[in-house]
Amino acid sequence: MLGLAKRLGATILQASTSEVYGDPEVHPQPESYWGCVNPVGPRACYDEGKRCAETLFFDYYRQHRLTIKVARIFNTYGPRMHPNDGRVVSNFIRQALQNEPITIYGDGQQTRSLCYVDDLIEGLIRFMATDPSVLGPLNLGNAEELTILKLAETIIRMTGSSSRIIRLPLPQDDPKQRQPNISLAERTLNWQPKVSLYEGLSETIAYFRGIMSGSPVQQIRILAR
Ligand code: UDP
């Protein structure tokens, strides 16, 4: 893709990730933090793959003056998530709507900061419109941090579910906390997330209700995506 962008003279965006920070010792995470990634752990191929991609983007910028934009995207959610992608928001909403047990991995005290998809897209569009001298890396996400237990309780309340919470083992190298420092994006893009967790979850729950009440054929189409 970098070679293609070079040949076409295109601006190229890397959808990088907060995972480059690994299980961070610095909190919240600014772009200047180099991260804490276990290079041989089960998450490593994703984390190190994204880190390596950032390196290649900057090498192409240095060597070929390619116009690059590197965005570090923090946890994002919203309508059109795949119901079975295994992420925390989709799992909890699906489980709550079916009154099935809500699966919390570990004690639920680990934190994430959840950004609604529309806010993220607005940030990406603004980033792409910046001057070629603005390369990133740039954190994009919502700085409102919450525990996974709190998220589960919120979703149970908002869906009126009778689900109970069960605890499953915490996956290896699961980051304990994650919150973006978004001051660089705020300054550079004149951007801030606008959608509250309550509003964002309401939209997402409505979407999941719609697909889960759809005909089996509709559901198969969505699951096959
Ligand atoms: N998680 C959980 N139950 C689930 C799915 C995820 O407790 O059914 C936890 C997971 O261990 C992690 C957090 O929720 O601490 C966010 O997980 P996700 O896979 O959505 O994102 P990531 O870990 O990549 O931030």
Side-chain angles (χ1 to χ4, degrees):
M1 293 310 294
L2 286 161
L4 184 63
K6 183 184 153 203
R7 182 155 63 77
L8 300 178
T11 301
I12 183 163
L13 169 80
Q14 187 200 354
S16 187
T17 170
S18 53
E19 294 282 320
V20 300
Y21 300 123
D23 191 2
E25 304 127 314
V26 172
H27 194 71
Q29 294 82 54
E31 289 83 352
S32 54
Y33 176 50
W34 289 356
C36 176
V37 174
N38 170 4
V40 295
R43 300 173 84 100
C45 70
Y46 184 69
D47 301 3
E48 297 289 15
K50 290 283 193 177
R51 288 167 67 93
C52 180
E54 289 197 7
T55 307
L56 289 171
F57 268 65
F58 275 83
D59 284 342
Y60 265 74
Y61 165 71
R62 277 185 289 261
Q63 209 158 341
H64 305 295
R65 290 290 130 187
L66 187 65
T67 308
I68 59 160
K69 308 280 176 197
V70 176
R72 290 185 178 153
I73 299 172
F74 283 64
N75 296 67
T76 303
Y77 72 99
R80 302 199 197 153
M81 287 182 97
H82 196 291
N84 292 340
D85 79 355
R87 312 302 301 278
V88 69
V89 173
S90 44
N91 272 10
F92 286 1
I93 293 180
R94 189 173 41 76
Q95 291 162 344
L97 291 178
Q98 292 174 330
N99 295 312
E100 285 174 0
I102 305 274
T103 52
I104 288 196
Y105 304 157
D107 62 7
Q109 291 308 310
Q110 70 271 38
T111 65
R112 293 294 184 272
S113 307
L114 300 170
C115 185
Y116 188 66
V117 60
D118 290 8
D119 283 331
L120 176 79
I121 289 170
E122 177 65 26
L124 290 173
I125 290 171
R126 288 185 187 216
F127 190 18
M128 287 303 275
T130 53
D131 187 83
S133 61
V134 181
L135 316 174
L138 189 72
N139 287 342
L140 288 177
N142 190 315
E144 198 184 317
E145 183 184 9
L146 82 166
T147 64
I148 295 303
L149 178 61
K150 182 83 197 299
L151 176 68
E153 290 166 351
T154 306
I155 290 175
I156 291 173
R157 200 175 50 247
M158 287 179 70
T159 51
S161 172
S162 60
S163 291
R164 65 197 172 88
I165 289 176
I166 58 166
R167 295 213 156 66
L168 295 179
L170 188 67
Q172 193 192 326
D173 295 338
D174 197 273
K176 281 181 275 307
Q177 51 183 7
R178 191 182 290 143
Q179 183 191 28
N181 177 329
I182 54 169
S183 48
L184 184 61
E186 287 173 341
R187 278 199 313 277
T188 313
L189 309 180
N190 188 23
W191 164 90
Q192 260 193 338
K194 291 202 184 83
V195 180
S196 69
L197 183 69
Y198 182 82
E199 289 170 302
L201 285 178
S202 302
E203 293 291 330
T204 315
I205 290 167
Y207 171 77
F208 275 78
R209 266 196 219 283
I211 56 171
M212 288 168 67
S213 63
S215 71
V217 175
Q218 278 172 319
Q219 289 188 22
I220 287 166
R221 277 207 197 109
I222 289 162
L223 293 174
R225 274 206 323 245

